[in-house]
Amino acid sequence: MENFYEVNGIELCAETYGDPADPAVLLIHGATASMLWWDSRLCSALAARGRFVIRYDQRDTGRSTSFPVGDPGYAMSDLAADAVGLLDALGIDQAQVVAQSMSGGTALILGVDHPARVASLTFVSTSTGDEGLPGPSPGMPRLGTPDFNDPAAIEEYVVRSIEAEAAGHFDETSTRTLVRQDMARAKNYEASLTNHFATTFDGPRNGDFGDLTMPVLVMHGDADPLLPLPHGEAVRDAVPGARLVVLPGMGHRLSAPYWDSFIDELGE
């Protein structure tokens, strides 16, 4: 069941799975993505392996607080502070943090500036952002911007975006259902698709990837067309002792064929 939590002067919508007495796993999805992008079946499977799983809508996604389109007025460090505040609201001292794509930056801030709250970090399909890393695959279509006055055009834009990132692991029917649910839940879907890219991309106050001291796992698909595999390798190389798991054939999203591997590796 979804619940609302007052955190840092805003409202976050979150949902939990499993026994609160089990070790906590905090799932933070990437830019524009609400909690729905962490599939409920994956959350249930992870809970069945003895984890208390938390998925939530970050600012400007789902049912959490929405900000003016193009002018969110917050930074990535605020998103990290929201994660800490949510753990506080749930009475959780420490969690395994799993971050997808752009939210790798949020996880980095958590790990460096709030290390006591982080049992481990898992970076999925993310990057250090270093210059010299390869750009998106030449085959990635440039979809432009949808007409935000046309819900059908918005839906089609997001569906085609997911297809482009999927590297073949794509189901039209389930994807379209997800997008429709996401649009129906959002307070302002234009803000959802816009504002995370307009945030201030600050970093940790106290260091960088090399200052992470907790166990770090990097999971990356070797067919990721948005952030090709060298991005994951760069994260591994930047963190002392980090372990990289390459998922053969996976695109940018953690798609269903890779859930078992993800759960197994997270358990390690």
Side-chain angles (χ1 to χ4, degrees), residues 131-194:
E131 292 185 10
L133 288 170
S137 166
M140 278 282 289
R142 300 185 180 277
L143 298 175
T145 303
D147 178 359
F148 286 108
N149 295 311
D150 182 351
I154 298 171
E155 176 186 316
E156 192 64 20
Y157 169 83
V158 179
V159 169
R160 297 281 76 86
S161 296
I162 295 172
E163 181 182 27
E165 296 176 359
H169 296 287
F170 174 76
D171 179 79
E172 178 91 21
T173 300
S174 62
T175 299
R176 199 169 291 279
T177 298
L178 167 64
V179 173
R180 288 174 179 172
Q181 292 172 339
D182 211 28
M183 291 176 66
R185 289 181 73 250
K187 290 186 173 180
N188 184 332
Y189 206 61
E190 183 176 358
S192 295
L193 294 182
T194 303

Side-chain angles (χ1 to χ4, degrees), residues 42-173:
L42 172 61
C43 295
S44 295
L46 188 54
R49 295 281 290 270
R51 294 293 188 272
F52 181 58
V53 181
I54 307 147
R55 67 174 188 171
Y56 70 105
D57 298 325
Q58 296 193 82
R59 302 181 185 210
D60 277 316
T61 70
R63 292 174 173 157
S64 292
T65 297
S66 182
F67 291 79
V69 174
D71 186 25
Y74 55 81
M76 187 163 280
S77 56
D78 294 307
L79 298 178
D82 290 347
V84 172
L86 180 59
L87 293 179
D88 289 342
L90 291 166
I92 295 171
D93 292 331
Q94 194 176 62
Q96 292 181 279
V97 174
V98 180
Q100 166 89 15
S101 195
M102 191 186 82
S103 290
T106 303
L108 172 63
I109 296 171
L110 286 171
V112 174
D113 290 345
H114 308 277
R117 309 305 300 273
V118 180
S120 69
L121 280 177
T122 300
F123 295 98
V124 181
S125 304
T126 189
S127 177
T128 59
D130 291 342
E131 292 185 10
L133 288 170
S137 166
M140 278 282 289
R142 300 185 180 277
L143 298 175
T145 303
D147 178 359
F148 286 108
N149 295 311
D150 182 351
I154 298 171
E155 176 186 316
E156 192 64 20
Y157 169 83
V158 179
V159 169
R160 297 281 76 86
S161 296
I162 295 172
E163 181 182 27
E165 296 176 359
H169 296 287
F170 174 76
D171 179 79
E172 178 91 21
T173 300

Side-chain angles (χ1 to χ4, degrees), residues 17-19 22-27 38-55 96 98 254 259-267:
Y17 295 75
D19 186 344
D22 286 336
V25 175
L26 181 67
L27 302 175
W38 293 111
D39 194 286
S40 61
R41 294 167 297 174
L42 172 61
C43 295
S44 295
L46 188 54
R49 295 281 290 270
R51 294 293 188 272
F52 181 58
V53 181
I54 307 147
R55 67 174 188 171
Q96 292 181 279
V98 180
L254 184 64
W259 291 351
D260 286 344
S261 296
F262 168 74
I263 293 170
D264 289 342
E265 296 293 348
L266 191 62

Side-chain angles (χ1 to χ4, degrees), residues 211-224:
D211 298 290
L212 295 172
T213 56
M214 65 288 298
V216 172
L217 172 66
V218 183
M219 302 191 74
H220 213 102
D222 66 3
D224 189 333

